[in-house]
Amino acid sequence: MNSDMVVSSNETHLGYRSDLSPEHLSKLVQALYSCSINEQFLNEFLQKLCASCQLRSAVAIVIDVSDMSFKGIWGWGNDHQEMDVVMNSELYMHDPMVQKVVQSEPNQFYTSNLDIPNVREVMEADMEKWSDETGITEAAGAMILLQESLSLMVFLQRGVKHPEFTSQERQFWTQLVPHFRESLTIHQQLAKVKQVALETPAIMNSFPLPTFLINSAFDISMYNQKAKIWLKQSRSVVLDKNQLRLVDRKTNNLLRLETSKLLNLEYDENSDLTAHVLQWDTGVEKITFVLKPLNKISDQGDSHKSVLCFAHQAGNGFSISVKSLQQIFGLTRREAEICHLLTSGLSVNDISEDLCLSVHTVRDTLKKRIFIKCNCHSQNELITLLLTSPAIFMQEGVLEVSN
């Protein structure tokens, strides 16, 4: 888990403090899931949360409740040195807000000005001194249950220059609780992939699509159980001398070319490498290949590049949850259904027939609404985004959708 603290002067505004609308909540949920696939994870989300809700600072801590030890930490608004002091001297354990959260019903936010009357009067001297030095006067906190003895403690803080929390805000934050839990699960799953470079079959088999790991020599260093089954059934793709080979020579060369491009990209630790998509329709099989570059830095500092190749064949039974598409990208039910069918291998004409809409309506919805919400400019780009997003890991019905 990432334990780095990141502080920056850049701000991303999603709304404003008094805006507790479903639209504001939807934007925060999208930002949360978007950050779940990034290296810095909650650092980036907490920055956006502070900017849009007039917070002094925000901290999220993965904690083992059996001994109250910190297992991971993200934050925004406090400098790095301050957070180290907090961890080393365990000042958080003396905070009445923390004690309130630990002792109360989990999975909902509590706020010091609403749930702890005269909060400063019950502070210990060292905690009150810390509060004065940092300028933090109000806090909202939640203990979000994860698994076994692990929990995620989230604290949102305001200072002397910021307004007090309200009961409406407390209810607003509580609606984010299941999304914190789900996004952290996704982040941990994807982090395992990056950290061990898919060295264990269990991680490979967690992907719901046929998945191959291609190394710099174009050899398949590993593939999952779904890929093994798919290779037996496909009439267009084979594993030849430990390399993925397409029967159509032109498309096979194109796949190698796109893979080569990703293997030769300059790697920047501070940015995610982009994914490429290649669609191939043989008339018998319609296959979409999504290529996602990985970069592993060894203990000796060496860089090892590989490409993760997802193979998605139309009609193979895999489909992305409509609800997860709604949640992550802020789509309406109809927009999510169009995306769902698009990733299932259907054309615009097929989608129009399936949904009883005109082709013009489907194209218009894609270009004027879906592309804008997903920040895409083409169907290929959209399919790539959807098939490499956390949506593929989420099951139908996991989260409730408010719109």
Side-chain angles (χ1 to χ4, degrees):
M1 255 179 283
N2 194 336
S3 60
D4 293 335
M5 295 294 296
V6 176
V7 179
S8 169
S9 59
N10 297 326
E11 292 187 347
T12 303
H13 294 277
L14 301 178
Y16 50 91
R17 184 246 177 178
S18 60
D19 178 14
L20 303 180
S21 66
E23 290 76 16
H24 187 192
L25 180 64
S26 177
K27 289 180 180 180
L28 288 174
V29 170
Q30 290 179 62
L32 179 55
Y33 282 112
S34 175
C35 292
S36 72
I37 61 176
N38 295 336
E39 292 287 347
Q40 297 300 325
F41 185 35
L42 283 178
N43 286 330
E44 184 180 343
F45 173 71
L46 295 177
Q47 173 196 3
K48 295 178 179 180
L49 191 65
C50 288
S52 72
C53 301
Q54 295 184 354
L55 298 173
R56 160 67 173 76
S57 55
V59 178
I61 306 166
V62 174
I63 192 168
D64 187 332
V65 294
S66 64
D67 59 6
M68 298 305 288
S69 60
F70 289 5
K71 301 300 182 182
I73 187 166
W74 299 269
W76 180 261
N78 295 318
D79 63 45
H80 201 156
Q81 183 179 5
E82 174 193 320
M83 186 54 59
D84 286 341
V85 171
V86 172
M87 292 181 66
N88 294 335
S89 63
E90 298 184 350
L91 275 172
Y92 263 98
M93 296 304 105
H94 299 282
D95 187 341
M97 184 74 251
V98 175
Q99 296 174 19
K100 172 70 179 179
V101 169
V102 170
Q103 297 167 6
S104 301
E105 189 74 20
N107 301 323
Q108 58 183 296
F109 273 88
Y110 298 88
T111 56
S112 57
N113 60 311
L114 298 176
D115 301 289
I116 308 176
N118 304 316
V119 62
R120 293 182 67 83
E121 295 179 9
V122 298
M123 281 184 179
E124 294 185 18
D126 52 359
M127 193 66 222
E128 187 171 1
K129 178 181 178 182
W130 178 76
S131 178
D132 290 337
E133 290 176 349
T134 60
I136 295 173
T137 57
E138 298 289 350
M143 173 79 83
I144 302 171
L145 300 183
L146 298 176
Q147 55 188 4
E148 298 177 354
S149 61
L150 288 182
S151 291
L152 177 68
M153 298 184 76
V154 179
F155 295 98
L156 312 178
Q157 299 156 333
R158 287 209 165 107
V160 291
K161 297 180 180 179
H162 304 87
E164 289 187 341
F165 288 108
T166 65
S167 58
Q168 290 79 14
E169 283 181 304
R170 179 173 54 183
Q171 296 168 8
F172 183 79
W173 305 133
T174 298
Q175 294 180 76
L176 284 173
V177 164
H179 303 292
F180 271 113
R181 185 189 304 113
E182 187 72 16
S183 63
L184 180 58
T185 300
I186 293 168
H187 177 73
Q188 290 174 321
Q189 188 171 8
L190 295 179
K192 287 179 181 178
V193 172
K194 293 183 179 181
Q195 289 169 5
V196 303
L198 302 176
E199 291 171 350
T200 63
I203 296 175
M204 284 291 282
N205 285 322
S206 70
F207 288 107
L209 291 168
T211 308
F212 303 86
L213 187 65
I214 305 174
N215 62 25
S216 56
F218 294 102
D219 290 332
I220 302 296
S221 55
M222 189 172 293
Y223 57 95
N224 64 2
Q225 187 65 25
K226 290 183 175 63
K228 184 177 181 180
I229 296 171
W230 179 66
L231 286 171
K232 288 182 179 180
Q233 298 174 342
S234 176
R235 287 175 284 176
S236 306
V237 183
V238 296
L239 195 61
D240 181 29
K241 296 180 180 178
N242 207 35
Q243 293 190 351
L244 201 61
R245 182 171 64 82
L246 281 59
V247 174
D248 181 82
R249 181 177 296 180
K250 181 179 179 181
T251 311
N252 187 68
N253 290 339
L254 184 58
L255 179 61
R256 288 178 67 94
L257 176 63
E258 293 300 314
T259 303
S260 178
K261 287 180 182 177
L262 295 180
L263 288 169
N264 288 291
L265 276 177
E266 290 295 325
Y267 178 71
D268 179 0
E269 279 189 327
N270 296 319
S271 64
D272 285 337
L273 295 174
T274 56
H276 287 200
V277 66
L278 171 65
Q279 290 184 307
W280 180 35
D281 190 349
T282 66
V284 178
E285 294 177 298
K286 186 174 183 180
I287 305 171
T288 300
F289 292 101
V290 178
L291 305 174
K292 184 73 174 176
L294 295 177
N295 195 88
K296 181 186 177 184
I297 306 296
S298 69
D299 295 336
Q300 291 75 33
D302 299 324
S303 177
H304 302 283
K305 291 183 180 179
S306 55
V307 170
L308 198 62
C309 175
F310 298 96
H312 177 229
Q313 183 175 336
N316 67 353
F318 169 77
S319 61
I320 297 179
S321 159
V322 171
K323 284 188 177 181
S324 67
L325 293 174
Q326 284 184 265
Q327 285 287 173
I328 294 176
F329 300 104
L331 304 173
T332 65
R333 178 78 185 184
R334 179 63 80 193
E335 292 165 355
E337 287 172 345
I338 291 174
C339 289
H340 166 85
L341 294 173
L342 199 62
T343 58
S344 298
L346 272 63
S347 66
V348 170
N349 288 343
D350 295 333
I351 294 172
S352 68
E353 290 183 14
D354 195 272
L355 298 179
C356 299
L357 299 171
S358 69
V359 174
H360 172 76
T361 299
V362 175
R363 291 190 188 279
D364 204 52
T365 302
L366 275 168
K367 292 181 179 179
K368 295 184 179 180
R369 291 158 61 184
I370 297 175
F371 284 0
I372 292 174
K373 289 183 179 181
C374 296
N375 193 28
C376 293
H377 302 89
S378 67
Q379 288 185 39
N380 269 10
E381 192 177 348
L382 177 63
I383 292 171
T384 303
L385 174 67
L386 300 178
L387 290 181
T388 57
S389 76
I392 68 171
F393 295 100
M394 298 170 65
Q395 300 298 316
E396 190 75 47
V398 169
L399 298 171
E400 292 300 321
V401 180
S402 57
N403 61 333

